Amino acid sequence: MFDAVVFAGGGNRCYWQGGFYETVAPRLGLVPQVVIGASAGAFAAAYSLLGVGPETRERVFAGCGPHLKNFDFAAWRRGEPLCPVGPLYHELLRQTIDDSALERLNAATDLRIAVTRLPRGMPPLAGATFGIAAYQLEKHLFHPVHPRFGRRLGFRPEFVSARAIKSAAEFHDVLLASSGVPPFMPVIRVGGAAAFDGGLVDNVPVAPLDPIERSGGRTLVLLTRRYRNVPVVEGRTYAQPSRPVDVSQFDITSPERIRGAYELGVKDGEAFVAAFQDLDSLRSR
């Protein structure tokens, strides 16, 4: 039905995608040849395609809570990370995807993970801060599905194929880099150079869809925000939450809100399936 699927970034909002895809895929028989993911969307794609969403979410629900702090200044003064979400995410990746899981994932599809390269000569922390500021400004002012400021400022997209990755540890690093938003996440090097959140160029990374759509393929793009104006592209379907997902991107203090994101995804997935079944019924008359 869909030849390729895109999982947009969005931190904790990406648990909506897990609920949506895991509801829709078995009922519509989705077997995408290509999957593209940015930031936490890449991880949502990985665990959904592997069929380990329930176990992954249980780890998240059990590990998050009000006993944690999103910014731990006491730990920072001890020389530990200011934001515990980085180490927690790394451990979640380690527990979820081992070498065997990576082999199964690569057998199932061509997963491509979006990362961003900074303008040449720009220091990593300054460049990431500059890129995040530009992204947030454009989203606030214009609300585009596909931002443009990053490219105009010299930020460059790169897509890393999971099939070119040799080990689960390397795969974890690429996923961490794709979510690399200092100070929430550490700076990670991919291919010998610092790589950052794929969303600094486009949080909804659709560039790899062009050859698929030009050849007549059908594609599905899973957003994590609501947009007033969604692009109309032949062969492409955008799916977005039915209401704003009520969870902050990097909040590790509220498992209830993370669960709510997932449950909204299930609800919206059921509505999506029903709409497709109704359409097929009309076509068959």
Side-chain angles (χ1 to χ4, degrees), residues 11-241:
N12 285 328
R13 295 196 308 270
C14 295
Y15 288 104
W16 177 88
Q17 296 170 325
F20 184 95
Y21 189 85
E22 291 167 30
T23 300
V24 169
R27 293 167 67 177
L28 295 185
L30 299 190
V31 188
Q33 300 168 15
V34 176
V35 177
I36 303 109
S39 192
F43 179 50
Y47 68 67
S48 296
L49 291 162
L50 286 167
V52 296
E55 305 97 292
T56 301
R57 285 184 292 272
E58 283 306 314
R59 292 189 185 106
V60 173
F61 300 153
C64 294
H67 61 288
L68 298 174
K69 297 179 180 179
N70 292 324
F71 293 91
D72 193 337
F73 290 98
W76 183 55
R77 287 192 292 269
R78 294 194 302 268
E80 300 172 12
L82 173 63
C83 300
V85 66
L88 288 173
Y89 185 44
H90 196 180
E91 178 62 17
L92 179 63
L93 295 177
R94 191 191 65 78
Q95 293 179 8
T96 305
I97 303 169
D98 58 13
D99 288 335
S100 174
L102 179 60
E103 288 181 7
R104 290 189 285 111
L105 180 63
N106 287 335
T109 192
D110 179 7
L111 174 62
R112 304 174 191 176
I113 304 164
V115 299
T116 294
R117 301 296 190 179
L118 302 184
R120 289 178 176 82
M122 187 171 285
L125 291 179
T129 302
F130 182 49
I132 294 163
Y135 169 81
Q136 293 294 342
L137 178 64
E138 185 176 11
K139 284 288 187 181
H140 179 73
L141 292 177
F142 304 110
H143 311 286
V145 175
H146 301 292
R148 299 179 180 179
F149 280 10
R151 281 189 177 88
R152 291 175 179 173
L153 293 170
F155 292 86
R156 294 169 290 120
E158 185 175 316
F159 295 91
V160 181
S161 174
R163 288 177 172 171
I165 295 174
K166 298 180 175 62
S167 68
E170 183 183 348
F171 185 66
H172 302 161
D173 281 348
V174 176
L175 286 176
L176 285 168
S178 185
S179 298
V181 181
F184 295 98
M185 296 292 178
V187 177
I188 300 292
R189 299 177 73 84
V190 173
F196 293 89
D197 194 318
L200 296 184
V201 173
D202 189 349
N203 197 43
V204 188
V206 296
L209 298 182
D210 289 346
I212 299 169
E213 292 168 345
R214 282 199 304 268
S215 65
R218 298 181 64 187
T219 62
L220 174 64
V221 179
L222 304 184
L223 304 172
T224 60
R225 297 176 183 266
R226 284 195 57 79
Y227 294 90
R228 291 190 296 270
N229 299 308
V230 175
V232 177
V233 179
E234 185 175 357
R236 184 184 301 174
T237 299
Y238 286 87
Q240 63 181 342

